[in-house]
Amino acid sequence: MAKFIVDGNRRLQGEVDLQGAKNSALPIISATLLCSGESVIHCCPIISDINASIQILRYLGCSAKLSDHTLIVDSKDMNRCDIPENLMNEMRSSIVFLGAIIARKGKAKLYFPGGCELGPRPIDLHLSALRKMGVIIDERYGLITCRVKDKLHGAKIALPFPSVGATENIILSAVLAKGTTIISNAAREPEIVDLCDYLVKCGAEIYGAGESTIYIYGVDNLTPTVHTIIPDRIVASTLMAASAVTGGELILNGIISSHLDGVIPLFEEAGCNIKVRNSKLKIDSPNRLKPFKSVRTMPYPGFPTDLQAQFMALMTVSEGASLVTENIWENRFMHVPELMRMGANINVHGHASAIVRGVKRLSGAPVMATDLRASFALVLAGLAAEGETVVNRVYHLDRGYEKLDEKLRAVGADIERIKEAD
Ligand code: UD1
């Protein structure tokens, strides 16, 4: 298992190029199953979640080759409709293959995603929507067996919560279904828009992506296309946090600034100076951050749950008390005890809110990464701390951040990856 050794208290300065968005690439990779033929996906990040989806594609009988951030998928020989348990467990979001497999093969057999490090992972919203579209589902012994009785058909689906995964699975099943599907209270994330842009290029008829109501008119078939994944807004914001926590000055290349509208004001509230010009963003950070009055995770366009841990790292060294509330996941404060090992002053109230009183400086310590985003929070704390921080279990981080250590080193961080035998 690899770990990072971070020697902190160094100001970061320089330019970083952004990677493509993991949360766009995964559903789009699943969508390539819907077009029998060769799809070309540019700006695919080279991370372990993408490798896991490539393994799933190959298991299903497709050819998939990733080279220099371009993924070429040929799904014409897809000959299976099941995903074995070990491949399902490789990646938390492998459930996004469900809708596409059903739409292509009329049946699917997948394992439940099970619990994960963020809490229980229900998929009731996905399944009830599929049932409305004519899928017969048997849930037994952790296995979901689905078959379409006649043909998938459109339906009116009102989501009680704008679930990202459920919205994606409904879209993936609806594009080739008979008739019209209307999703109300749909997720509005830019990654949903990217998935729809890809599908529309393939010939799908989708209207309203990015809004609360999405209309999908089923078509008979889709043709493969060439698509470029949008930049990763979570990675962009995390790198902004790396500048903020070190009093640094970073330039990010390749951003879409509107995707950062929910976070830029928070960095400004903390005293950072941000300039955006076309696809470049410059963040200049003060020596000490001001506290954040209240950060509450919400569905997009609200503040993302995927940035909660990183913002908590910023709060630990800000000049005053900040409040953070986690509204999306039940168990997303696993980084708290680790940050406290480094000297952070955090009081958790219930499972959803915490008050963080900033300290002048954290001290390096051995800490354990618990999930993808929490791992980066610990790296951020390590960058700000006095002395050496050892971040164990960085495989979590490799799920979503490409060559993170190299990128941070290039802008002045002292961070080293140590590979250890299991
Ligand atoms: C969620 C986040 C997404 C983030 C990802 C990984 C939101 C809205 N979604 O997406 O931004 O990238 O985690 O951290 O912020 N739920 C149900 N039943 C279902 C599906 C979901 O009760 O069938 C509940 C979940 O328990 C959770 C919430 O809805 O509390 C978020 O679910 P959803 O958006 O579906 O999760 P992801 O797609 O993983």
Side-chain angles (χ1 to χ4, degrees):
M1 253 185 248
K3 59 186 178 187
F4 281 152
I5 313 270
V6 187
D7 197 9
N9 201 7
R10 282 176 169 71
R11 182 172 185 266
L12 300 191
Q13 191 171 22
E15 293 197 26
V16 191
D17 294 336
L18 276 188
Q19 65 185 63
K22 167 177 93 71
N23 291 346
S24 252
L26 297 176
I28 288 174
I29 287 174
S30 163
T32 62
L33 296 177
L34 300 177
C35 336
S36 179
E38 194 173 276
S39 306
V40 180
I41 314 295
H42 295 302
C43 285
C44 234
I46 300 180
I47 50 177
S48 60
D49 268 10
I50 297 293
N51 290 335
S53 9
I54 290 175
Q55 282 183 52
I56 292 176
L57 288 176
R58 288 183 182 150
Y59 176 84
L60 294 171
C62 310
S63 79
K65 196 169 158 244
L66 177 60
S67 160
D68 196 18
H69 299 99
T70 294
L71 176 67
I72 302 179
V73 181
D74 192 336
S75 64
K76 87 174 165 304
D77 294 329
M78 176 182 176
N79 54 11
R80 300 193 70 113
C81 60
D82 64 305
I83 301 181
E85 196 171 12
N86 64 320
L87 288 182
M88 281 299 284
N89 289 339
E90 280 279 306
M91 182 177 64
R92 232 162 40 85
S93 36
S94 40
I95 195 68
V96 77
F97 278 92
L98 181 63
I101 296 178
I102 294 176
R104 171 83 188 263
K105 289 284 178 193
K107 54 187 178 173
K109 202 163 147 189
L110 265 66
Y111 283 84
F112 266 96
C116 74
E117 59 276 4
L118 308 181
R121 254 190 114 64
I123 52 163
D124 52 306
L125 303 178
H126 306 228
L127 300 185
S128 72
L130 289 170
R131 284 193 174 101
K132 279 198 165 168
M133 298 175 74
V135 183
I136 299 168
I137 303 175
D138 181 54
E139 305 171 53
R140 243 187 283 188
Y141 316 121
L143 193 64
I144 316 158
T145 311
C146 304
R147 76 188 159 84
V148 177
K149 202 168 168 210
D150 183 16
K151 192 175 182 331
L152 272 180
H153 56 76
K156 277 191 180 170
I157 297 160
L159 288 173
F161 174 84
S163 154
V164 173
T167 303
E168 288 165 349
N169 263 329
I170 299 166
I171 293 169
L172 290 165
S173 337
V175 282
L176 289 175
K178 191 170 183 303
T180 305
T181 299
I182 303 173
I183 315 173
S184 44
N185 201 21
R188 299 167 57 193
E189 272 71 358
E191 294 78 19
I192 299 277
V193 177
D194 203 22
L195 169 66
C196 293
D197 284 348
Y198 166 79
L199 287 165
V200 166
K201 276 195 220 163
C202 297
E205 272 203 59
I206 307 175
Y207 303 92
E211 291 164 33
S212 290
T213 307
I214 302 181
Y215 299 83
I216 303 155
Y217 301 97
V219 295
D220 290 335
N221 49 54
L222 298 175
T223 10
T225 191
V226 179
H227 186 75
T228 301
I229 301 287
I230 56 169
D232 197 312
R233 66 194 165 97
I234 302 298
V235 173
S237 308
T238 308
L239 290 166
M240 289 167 77
S243 161
V245 85
T246 61
E249 187 186 291
L250 289 182
I251 294 172
L252 307 184
N253 293 320
I255 60 144
I256 296 180
S257 64
S258 59
H259 296 174
L260 302 173
D261 281 351
V263 295
I264 288 177
L266 287 171
F267 282 106
E268 287 171 337
E269 180 187 338
C272 300
N273 186 352
I274 293 172
K275 288 201 179 90
V276 177
R277 199 155 174 214
N278 303 323
S279 62
K280 260 185 197 295
L281 178 147
K282 183 174 171 203
I283 172 164
D284 194 356
S285 317
N287 284 337
R288 184 123 193 239
L289 296 170
K290 291 187 210 149
F292 300 82
K293 220 183 288 161
S294 172
V295 170
R296 299 165 60 81
T297 66
M298 301 289 274
Y300 191 85
F303 180 82
T305 176
D306 284 348
L307 287 176
Q308 179 257 108
Q310 298 92 312
F311 268 67
M312 203 185 265
L314 300 185
M315 293 169 183
T316 63
V317 289
S318 68
E319 206 168 4
S322 308
L323 173 66
V324 55
T325 312
E326 172 58 54
N327 293 309
I328 307 293
W329 290 110
E330 227 170 75
N331 188 27
R332 210 168 192 176
F333 281 154
M334 303 259 280
H335 41 282
V336 168
E338 304 303 309
L339 291 170
M340 287 173 74
R341 284 167 75 106
M342 300 177 69
N345 180 350
I346 306 172
N347 283 303
V348 174
H349 300 271
H351 61 83
S353 60
I355 292 177
V356 186
R357 292 183 176 81
V359 297
K360 207 155 182 208
R361 197 153 288 291
L362 298 171
S363 335
V367 287
M368 190 81 83
T370 50
D371 73 65
L372 167 60
R373 309 300 172 185
S375 317
F376 209 128
L378 300 178
V379 171
L380 291 172
L383 290 172
E386 192 68 57
E388 187 179 279
T389 298
V390 180
V391 183
N392 290 292
R393 298 198 181 171
V394 296
Y395 61 84
H396 286 295
L397 211 139
D398 295 334
R399 284 187 38 222
Y401 294 95
E402 182 180 331
K403 293 193 179 154
L404 167 75
D405 41 333
E406 289 177 28
K407 287 185 180 170
L408 289 177
R409 256 198 314 277
V411 292
D414 185 337
I415 177 168
E416 198 187 345
R417 176 186 287 264
I418 309 280
K419 287 197 178 123
E420 280 185 348
D422 284 335

